[in-house]
Amino acid sequence: RICYLGMLRRTHKLKYALCQKFVVYLLENKTSQAELARKLNMDTARLNEIVKYKIDLFTVDKLIEFAQRLDPN
């Protein structure tokens, strides 16, 4: 049980860090969520959920996929 809780905490931290990448990108590039959503070919509502850290709505894999679109290199 302790191992499961530890894994859950690590997953939570990873999701948070991935969401944070979007917030930082928006701030550093002085762009709107709508503009970034278009650039990433993503629904604006989904991006809004990410920047509001609604991490329970996403899997780690999906957040990684979206984050890779930010910086494909």
Side-chain angles (χ1 to χ4, degrees):
R1 182 174 172 114
I2 292 172
C3 182
Y4 174 75
L5 291 176
M7 184 180 73
L8 197 58
R9 259 186 244 120
R10 284 191 302 276
T11 300
H12 182 85
K13 286 180 181 179
L14 177 57
K15 287 181 176 184
Y16 186 90
L18 288 165
C19 289
Q20 193 172 37
K21 285 181 165 282
F22 289 86
V23 174
V24 168
Y25 184 93
L26 287 167
L27 294 172
E28 287 181 349
N29 293 280
K30 296 178 177 62
T31 189
S32 70
Q33 288 183 34
E35 290 173 36
L36 182 56
R38 273 192 300 278
K39 175 183 175 183
L40 300 177
N41 195 26
M42 167 190 283
D43 186 66
T44 306
R46 290 298 275 170
L47 181 59
N48 185 262
E49 291 167 344
I50 291 172
V51 299
K52 289 185 176 177
Y53 296 92
K54 295 186 178 181
I55 61 175
D56 293 335
L57 301 176
F58 299 93
T59 63
V60 170
D61 290 343
K62 189 50 95 175
L63 287 171
I64 289 172
E65 176 189 324
F66 290 150
Q68 286 176 329
R69 294 182 196 174
L70 276 179
D71 184 19
N73 297 324

